[in-house]
Amino acid sequence: MTFEDKRKLLLQQLEESLSTLDRSLKTLRYSFSKCSSIKKTAAYNLNEQESFEALTSRFARTSDILTQKILKTMFALIQENPKTFLDAANLLEKIEIVDHADNLLNIRELRNQIAHEYVIDDLNALFADVLQFVPELEKVVQNVKH
């Protein structure tokens, strides 16, 4: 396979992943809008919990599509091979896709908390953190697209 063939394949893969990301972001925005209107409380009712669980799941899915599919493909296209997620975040800061590497690291940490249920005892804090970082995730997605 020639370099040009590989590049075309990577661009096609990137287009497909961006389309998937757009669909995921649409559902994330819906959940974000819904959960943003829920008043903070010590104990959410079952409907509110369900809405927040949808939000956290959609946040995790969207961040996974971004970091596991799109960024990996993008790095392959620009012939970069960051060894760790920290290296990737620092590179993205350097090329001005993220304002601060820590923002992407925080998004990744939230995703891990959601996926591995580290914070079952304090779901309200997790919900608040996700609400805080949805706009940052959206900003990173927009920067990647540009």
Side-chain angles (χ1 to χ4, degrees), residues 32-51:
F32 177 73
S33 174
K34 188 174 181 180
C35 291
S36 293
S37 67
I38 297 172
K39 294 185 182 195
K40 291 183 182 179
T41 182
Y44 293 106
N45 67 41
L46 291 177
N47 284 333
E48 293 166 336
Q49 285 179 21
E50 185 175 61
S51 294

Side-chain angles (χ1 to χ4, degrees), residues 9-141:
L9 187 61
L10 287 169
L11 286 170
Q12 179 183 4
Q13 185 178 358
L14 183 61
E15 281 183 37
E16 291 168 6
S17 295
L18 285 169
S19 178
T20 302
L21 181 64
D22 283 340
R23 290 190 305 275
S24 182
L25 196 57
K26 182 179 179 181
T27 61
L28 175 62
R29 285 179 179 139
Y30 172 81
S31 288
F32 177 73
S33 174
K34 188 174 181 180
C35 291
S36 293
S37 67
I38 297 172
K39 294 185 182 195
K40 291 183 182 179
T41 182
Y44 293 106
N45 67 41
L46 291 177
N47 284 333
E48 293 166 336
Q49 285 179 21
E50 185 175 61
S51 294
F52 275 111
E53 287 177 11
L55 173 69
T56 58
S57 175
R58 291 168 177 175
F59 181 90
R61 183 179 313 111
T62 303
S63 68
D64 276 347
I65 294 166
L66 174 67
T67 60
Q68 300 302 313
K69 293 183 181 233
I70 292 173
L71 294 180
K72 285 186 178 187
T73 304
M74 189 182 77
F75 289 140
L77 279 166
I78 64 173
Q79 298 182 339
E80 289 287 345
N81 187 19
K83 301 291 183 212
T84 66
F85 193 78
L86 177 60
D87 293 338
N90 286 328
L91 177 58
L92 291 169
E93 180 180 336
K94 184 177 180 180
I95 62 177
E96 299 180 351
I97 289 180
V98 297
D99 294 333
H100 303 284
D102 287 347
N103 292 343
L104 194 58
L105 295 172
N106 286 329
I107 288 169
R108 183 63 170 194
E109 176 61 27
L110 275 175
R111 177 259 175 228
N112 288 342
Q113 288 176 6
I114 293 164
H116 302 292
E117 300 180 26
Y118 293 143
V119 291
I120 290 177
D121 295 336
D122 195 5
L123 287 175
N124 290 0
L126 176 66
F127 297 156
D129 288 344
V130 171
L131 283 171
Q132 177 186 345
F133 278 96
V134 166
E136 185 61 36
L137 178 57
E138 286 184 291
K139 185 176 181 182
V140 174
V141 168

